[in-house]
Amino acid sequence: MNDRAARLLGVRDGFGGLDPEEGLASGLRTWVDGGIESRGEVVSWAPIPADADDAPGRLVDLYDWEHWHNDFHLEDFVSVDYTYADGPIVGVDVDAQRTLLRQGIALAREVGRLAGELSTPIPLRCIIKVDETNGKFAFYRIRPEDSWVLDDLDGDDRGYDPDTIRRRLELMPTCPEGLAWYWDQCDDDIGSWNSETDLQPYLRLLADRCRAVDTALIGVFTSADGLVLGFLPSDKLERFIVLAATAKAEIVIYGSVEPVEH
């Protein structure tokens, strides 16, 4: 658990804040009741897909196979309020983030129990990630040779990789139809991704593809180091800039040149 999650849950005052008062959400309980299965070198929610025998198949590696089958958004199964439900940006407030964290931790405990009850128990790592936009849960078999297995939760310098960005943006109701995603080489080698050097060029190129379908790629700063991305029809961009200025919100408009901040 990183420092931000620890502060949000108040763990320095004890571990009572980790447990959701209402218990595990019914939507998540359905996953638990279905169980997990391990076959060959991979593990997933039951029933495990038939292609587990050939994992990773067309995917990059075993981690990528498990990510594809085990990763989902917590807010799809836990009832929380969206801060900007009808706007160009989808987000959740601090209370909703706390709820998603607690539910994710409760689910992780259940998944750990299920792993221990397999005919041959296996080591698993559950990943719970919550921020201003959503919450995600996934679990993977621990393989010491995997490059993503780190002791420092904040130490992975890949940050938000292209796959994560794409998965989040595709969920937005304003994501334009016809937007081309598979155009950048960094999708082919996610292990080489570095947010510090690759994120801004990636977003500028993505913005160019957005403009081809009459859409603007925008960003809204939510804190000192928080940025929420979103889509906006090009004909509404000027109005959005005016409203942001009125609200004294710091925004960024992406394009093929350096992003323009307002």
Side-chain angles (χ1 to χ4, degrees):
M1 183 180 298
N2 64 14
D3 290 343
R4 184 173 181 272
R7 288 194 300 269
L8 189 62
L9 295 175
V11 296
R12 290 170 181 165
D13 299 321
F15 294 100
L18 296 181
D19 297 318
E21 296 180 359
E22 65 280 14
L24 188 66
S26 59
L28 299 180
R29 176 59 62 185
T30 300
W31 287 95
V32 173
D33 290 345
I36 65 174
E37 291 184 17
S38 176
R39 184 187 300 169
E41 296 297 321
V42 294
V43 61
S44 82
W45 297 106
I48 196 166
D51 65 349
D53 291 327
D54 300 318
R58 296 183 178 181
L59 298 172
V60 176
D61 53 25
L62 298 175
Y63 160 78
D64 198 36
W65 188 96
E66 289 175 336
H67 178 82
W68 183 260
H69 291 87
N70 301 338
D71 178 283
F72 65 79
H73 281 262
L74 288 165
E75 69 275 10
D76 290 341
F77 303 94
V78 180
S79 178
V80 293
D81 293 329
Y82 284 100
T83 308
Y84 311 105
D86 299 322
I89 303 166
V90 176
V92 289
D93 61 20
V94 173
D95 288 338
Q97 292 174 49
R98 185 179 295 107
T99 296
L100 294 177
L101 269 176
R102 287 172 172 164
Q103 288 290 333
I105 292 171
L107 179 59
R109 290 174 173 172
E110 293 286 354
V111 170
R113 175 183 60 79
L114 292 172
E117 293 175 354
L118 293 173
S119 57
T120 302
I122 59 174
L124 288 185
R125 176 165 292 179
C126 297
I127 304 295
I128 306 149
K129 187 177 187 306
V130 175
D131 60 20
E132 295 91 346
T133 58
N134 55 40
K136 297 191 75 175
F137 179 89
F139 65 94
Y140 310 90
R141 186 166 184 165
I142 294 178
R143 306 175 185 89
E145 68 275 11
D146 284 347
S147 61
W148 69 275
V149 179
L150 301 169
D151 292 328
D152 178 6
L153 293 181
D154 293 317
D156 187 353
D157 64 1
R158 290 185 329 213
Y160 292 112
D161 56 63
D163 183 62
T164 301
I165 295 171
R166 178 169 61 247
R167 287 173 184 267
R168 291 187 175 189
L169 292 179
E170 283 181 326
L171 291 173
M172 293 185 172
T174 51
C175 182
E177 294 184 8
L179 178 60
W181 290 101
Y182 299 96
W183 41 264
D184 195 80
Q185 291 181 347
C186 55
D187 276 339
D188 299 327
D189 186 12
I190 198 171
S192 65
W193 173 268
N194 185 311
S195 291
E196 185 175 347
T197 58
D198 298 334
L199 179 59
Q200 294 304 320
Y202 178 86
L203 292 178
R204 290 198 294 271
L205 290 171
L206 176 58
D208 289 343
R209 272 65 184 182
C210 289
R211 280 203 298 274
V213 289
D214 296 321
T215 302
L217 178 65
I218 61 173
V220 178
F221 292 95
T222 59
S223 62
D225 58 354
L227 176 68
V228 177
L229 296 174
F231 299 108
L232 195 68
S234 295
D235 60 357
K236 298 184 182 298
L237 184 57
E238 290 188 12
R239 177 61 175 165
F240 173 73
I241 294 174
V242 171
L243 291 174
T246 301
K248 297 182 179 180
E250 187 178 0
I251 64 173
V252 57
I253 312 298
Y254 290 94
S256 56
V257 296
E258 290 295 324
V260 179
E261 296 187 11
H262 296 267

